[in-house]
Amino acid sequence: CDDTRGAALPPRDKTLHRTLLLATGSADNFAYVFDVGGPEGQGELVQRLEGHTDRVYSVNFHPTEPRLATGSADFTVKIWTPKVKLPHTLIDEMS
């Protein structure tokens, strides 16, 4: 993911002592979730999210729920939740 388009950190969950997630969108049509809560400079890829057909420009975590929204140049917004294989897709009415 060498062409990052957007990044987001969720609100810090005090029950997840050393876990700090970072989501990024990329020009390769994927969103990535990294755990950056470890030693400085050592982020670990947790998951690559597949489903968009064009660049992912925007990512944002829900402030209280375990959900991630990704927005893409394919005119869709996808809502990702833990343990759900496929995201719920919202199609932009302008497309």
Side-chain angles (χ1 to χ4, degrees), residues 5-73:
R5 296 294 175 166
L9 290 168
R12 187 70 180 222
D13 184 346
K14 294 178 182 158
T15 63
L16 302 173
H17 301 287
R18 295 186 181 174
T19 301
L20 178 60
L21 298 178
L22 170 71
T24 64
S26 182
D28 65 3
N29 306 351
F30 300 110
Y32 295 87
V33 179
F34 297 91
D35 180 356
V36 296
E40 188 173 329
Q42 295 185 12
E44 178 183 341
L45 179 63
V46 174
Q47 190 169 8
R48 182 179 81 166
L49 302 174
E50 302 180 33
H52 286 292
T53 59
D54 205 342
R55 293 179 171 135
V56 179
Y57 281 113
S58 178
V59 292
N60 201 2
F61 285 97
H62 189 280
T64 60
E65 300 293 324
R67 292 192 176 112
L68 173 69
T70 57
S72 171

